[in-house]
Amino acid sequence: VNQILLLLLVLTVCAILYNKVHQVPLALRNETVDLESPEEMEEEIPVVICAAAGRMGAAVAAISSIYSNTEANVLFYIIGLKTTIPHIRKWIENSKLKEIKFKVVEFNPMVLKGKIRQDASRPELLQPLNFVRFYLPLLIQKHEKVIYLDDDVIVQGDIQELYDTKLAPGHAAAFSDDCDLPSTHEMVRSVGMQNTYMGFLDYRKQAIRDLGISPSTCSFNPGVIVANMTEWKHQRITKQLEKWMQRNVEENLYSSTLGGGVATSPMLIVFHGKYSSINPMWHIRHLGWSPDARYSEQFLQEAKLLHWNGRYKPWDYPSVHTDLWENWFIPDPSGKFKLTRPDS
């Protein structure tokens, strides 16, 4: 009996030791998986911003404002021409932005050959990077949903909120209507700015009248876009935009009209009645339309995104609300880009 009891005791001790030896690695493996899985599951938010010659400080300020106001996993796609890419890469890598996740993508302006009608009234609108938004699926290929931002914006909210914008079934993009926010109506009236299709399309042309779009229809601003890449490709949006660019070259349908929207007008045509809406506070516009017209400080503090669309940019002089923009500006380590100020 004693021998049997001794044998049982030995077996019990062996069983306990066996469990301890084999369970510790398993527990460690489980802990490792638990720690890594939330990071692996975190959704990546692709944000597309152009870095044009002479405006790189704008792209840097926009990126800085986004990065500083979110904990989201943002991947910046910085689009540039071959000649500008080394400058923007050096700027990022030698500043506090060196911690961001980014890819620099070269845009080939040859895709625009024969598609842009020259317009002397605002030649800056003819710069190749103004048309990057037309070619999003060709530049950004692995993402289902993409945010595109003009370079003359700053973001004061969490970019995750903009990314979470719901797109209706069958819609390839979401924009902000130019009539969507009563607070901006006074600004629009004070600078005589157009916010309807009449301001962008030449309704004297038969091709425009044949669209059946009322000239009093509210326009939208494509400086902030939340895009569904699957729908964009399925509907062949890029081909549609290129078609209207070519028709404008042949028939001058919109280049010389009041809005001067050589990049906006094709989008107004192609997306008419087929887009979702962005929260108006995520696109407060017109800050660059006049060096005098200003929003209230309280309204600007509540805004999630500010856009200096128009001629008067916050890195130049004169312009309005430059202090809000300069909060996010990072000086150029190479010294090539400088702010224009009254005392400079």
Side-chain angles (χ1 to χ4, degrees):
V1 172
N2 289 338
Q3 289 179 341
I4 293 174
L5 291 174
L6 180 62
L7 179 61
L8 290 173
L9 178 61
V10 170
L11 290 174
T12 300
V13 171
C14 289
I16 293 171
L17 291 174
Y18 179 88
N19 285 336
K20 286 187 176 181
V21 169
H22 286 80
Q23 283 177 2
V24 169
L26 180 60
L28 290 176
R29 286 198 297 270
N30 285 341
E31 185 178 7
T32 302
V33 170
D34 290 340
L35 289 172
E36 290 182 351
S37 55
E39 183 175 337
E40 291 173 353
M41 293 173 63
E42 186 178 9
E43 190 171 13
E44 200 168 59
I45 299 178
V47 177
V48 179
I49 296 179
C50 295
R55 298 171 60 112
M56 288 191 193
V60 166
I63 293 169
S64 172
S65 69
I66 295 167
Y67 180 64
S68 300
N69 286 304
T70 188
E71 296 294 328
N73 181 22
V74 180
L75 173 60
F76 293 97
Y77 283 88
I78 303 170
I79 316 297
L81 302 179
K82 187 175 183 179
T83 54
T84 63
I85 284 176
H87 185 187
I88 193 66
R89 185 184 292 278
K90 182 178 179 182
W91 196 330
I92 291 172
E93 292 177 348
N94 289 277
S95 72
K96 66 180 183 180
L97 292 181
K98 63 186 177 183
E99 302 296 330
I100 70 170
K101 291 172 59 178
F102 74 100
K103 293 182 180 180
V104 177
V105 180
E106 180 183 344
F107 181 68
N108 185 354
M110 288 305 294
V111 300
L112 303 172
K113 187 175 181 180
K115 301 183 182 74
I116 301 177
R117 183 183 184 89
Q118 296 303 310
D119 187 349
S121 63
R122 290 193 65 186
E124 74 274 15
L125 295 176
L126 303 177
Q127 296 301 315
L129 295 181
N130 278 337
F131 301 92
V132 160
R133 70 198 90 188
F134 289 16
Y135 297 94
L136 291 176
L138 302 180
L139 298 165
I140 315 299
Q141 297 181 353
K142 72 170 188 174
H143 301 282
E144 169 72 12
K145 198 176 186 182
V146 172
I147 294 173
Y148 167 88
L149 299 177
D150 276 354
D151 60 0
D152 51 356
V153 309
I154 61 165
V155 173
Q156 300 185 137
D158 187 341
I159 198 72
Q160 179 76 56
E161 186 179 329
L162 179 61
Y163 184 76
D164 290 340
T165 298
K166 301 297 183 184
L167 274 66
H171 286 178
F175 307 98
S176 288
D177 282 324
D178 283 330
C179 304
D180 62 6
L181 201 61
S183 303
T184 66
H185 294 174
E186 184 177 343
M187 173 79 82
V188 169
R189 288 193 297 270
S190 68
V191 299
M193 187 183 62
Q194 294 292 318
N195 61 355
T196 65
Y197 273 58
M198 175 65 83
F200 293 89
L201 306 180
D202 189 347
Y203 276 83
R204 296 170 298 178
K205 303 297 174 67
Q206 187 61 45
I208 297 301
R209 294 198 301 271
D210 288 345
L211 291 169
I213 301 173
S214 169
S216 62
T217 301
C218 278
S219 52
F220 58 80
N221 187 298
V224 177
I225 307 172
V226 181
N228 180 310
M229 293 293 91
T230 299
E231 280 295 335
W232 193 293
K233 289 181 281 191
H234 175 70
Q235 297 178 33
R236 305 186 71 194
I237 297 295
T238 298
K239 288 295 183 184
Q240 292 187 58
L241 292 167
E242 288 184 326
K243 182 192 79 170
W244 283 103
M245 292 170 73
Q246 289 168 333
R247 288 199 67 174
N248 183 60
V249 170
E250 299 162 2
E251 305 175 47
N252 192 20
L253 301 176
Y254 52 77
S255 292
S256 300
T257 51
L258 190 59
V262 289
T264 298
S265 298
M267 301 197 83
L268 291 177
I269 295 171
V270 171
F271 283 101
H272 175 253
K274 294 184 293 186
Y275 65 91
S276 298
S277 295
I278 289 173
N279 181 334
M281 296 305 288
W282 267 100
H283 195 178
I284 302 305
R285 310 179 280 294
H286 321 317
L287 277 75
W289 271 86
S290 168
D292 303 310
R294 303 174 68 91
Y295 288 112
S296 74
E297 292 301 320
Q298 180 180 352
F299 177 67
L300 292 178
Q301 291 299 324
E302 294 171 354
K304 304 289 189 178
L305 181 148
L306 303 177
H307 187 186
W308 278 262
N309 57 310
R311 296 175 184 266
Y312 302 98
K313 303 301 185 185
W315 55 90
D316 282 334
Y317 180 84
S319 59
V320 297
H321 303 299
T322 55
D323 55 326
L324 293 174
W325 183 85
E326 280 193 53
N327 283 339
W328 307 109
F329 175 68
I330 299 173
D332 183 358
S334 72
K336 295 177 183 177
F337 182 94
K338 292 180 169 57
L339 302 182
T340 303
R341 293 296 180 255
D343 55 352
S344 63

